[in-house]
Each structure stands twice: as C-alpha cells, then as structure tokens.
Amino acid sequence: MKYIHYVPTSVNALDLVLELTVLLGEDMTQSLASDHLTEPRAHLLWVLGAQGPSTQKSLAEALNVSARNITGLVDGLEQTGYVIRAPHPDDRRATLVSTTERGAAIVDAFQSGQKELAEQLFGPMAPGELDQFVTSLTGVVERLRAAIAEGRPA
C-alpha cells in the first residue's frame, strides 16, 4: 500500500477553521439551551460579568447592537431572572442593568466552562506547539480584522 503525503493548503486550513467555528457554535448552542439562553443573551451576561452594572447604552455599544435590540435582550433576561434594572445613581435618565444572583452564577459557570473547554482542547498540546498555534492564529485573526476594517471582507 502506497501512502500519500498530505500537504496542507490554505484552503484546507480555512476549511478546518470554518469547521471549528461550526463545532464551537453547536457546542455553545447546546450548552446555553440547558439554561434557556440564546447566544445574544449569554453575550450580554458575559459583558455584565466583565464590566459590572452597566447602562443599556454601554451594553448596546459593547455588543454592537441597537438600543432597541438591547432593550429586548434585557427584557428577556429580566423576565427569566438573570438581570435586574435599577435607577442609575448619578443620572436619573439612565437605568443600570445588573446581574442577579442567578445571573452571576451563570456567568461563573460560563467562566468555568471556558476554562474546562480550553483545557480539553489545548491541554494536551506541548507548550511550544501551543505557542506556535496561538502565534499563527493571532496572525490570521489580525489579517481578517484588517481586511474587514479596510472594507474588503472575505
């Protein structure tokens, strides 16, 4: 039996990145469904966990969505007990959104899950291999960001 040496190409690499994106999305969707969350709502909780109580305006900016979208997301999270709204202490026109105990617990679970997945995916890699992977992937991400910023998305 003759073995063919596999030579990776840029198209093969892109196919793998796209498959990884799909798999990560499926994993996230399944995980969030158990807590009755959507990806946008989970993203909002993640941002609140990182920056603490925030105005809806700052949340809309952080998520790059409209004020109308953020209102809907906060409404849904408030109805399910993940966040609360309260008057802003310094600006009576603004409202602060904060996580509830339930919301803070789910953010903690997100952070633990992120660490577990990172260990599952990258833990078996040798340090040099991981360093090379991160360096290579950083270059790919930077090139894609630059292309998008220049108005020439892929």
Side-chain angles (χ1 to χ4, degrees):
M1 176 178 224
K2 186 174 182 180
Y3 291 95
I4 299 173
H5 180 68
Y6 175 74
V7 178
T9 67
S10 57
V11 172
N12 299 133
L14 180 59
D15 286 345
L16 285 170
V17 169
L18 294 173
E19 182 178 2
L20 177 63
T21 302
V22 169
L23 291 171
L24 287 171
E26 288 175 2
D27 181 64
M28 182 186 306
T29 299
Q30 289 174 7
S31 177
L32 294 175
S34 65
D35 292 306
H36 308 289
L37 286 168
T38 62
E39 189 176 335
R41 288 180 184 181
H43 188 190
L44 190 148
L45 285 171
W46 186 265
V47 169
L48 275 177
Q51 64 187 39
S54 304
T55 63
Q56 289 190 186
K57 180 180 179 181
S58 71
L59 290 170
E61 290 169 359
L63 274 67
N64 197 27
V65 299
S66 69
R68 182 179 203 145
N69 281 354
I70 212 70
T71 298
L73 292 172
V74 172
D75 286 347
L77 288 169
E78 189 173 42
Q79 290 168 2
T80 54
Y82 287 110
V83 301
I84 57 170
R85 287 180 171 110
H88 192 288
D90 303 323
D91 182 353
R92 60 184 194 164
R93 296 169 297 156
T95 300
L96 276 183
V97 179
S98 303
T99 57
T100 60
E101 283 185 33
R102 181 178 185 200
I106 201 74
V107 170
D108 288 344
F110 291 166
Q111 292 168 341
S112 294
Q114 181 188 36
K115 288 176 187 170
E116 289 171 18
L117 183 59
E119 184 58 32
Q120 180 183 2
L121 297 178
F122 304 114
M125 292 177 133
E129 183 183 9
L130 182 58
D131 290 346
Q132 184 177 7
F133 176 76
V134 170
T135 299
S136 296
L137 193 56
T138 298
V140 169
V141 169
E142 288 173 355
R143 287 187 293 279
L144 183 56
R145 281 185 183 146
I148 292 169
E150 293 171 5
R152 51 179 181 87

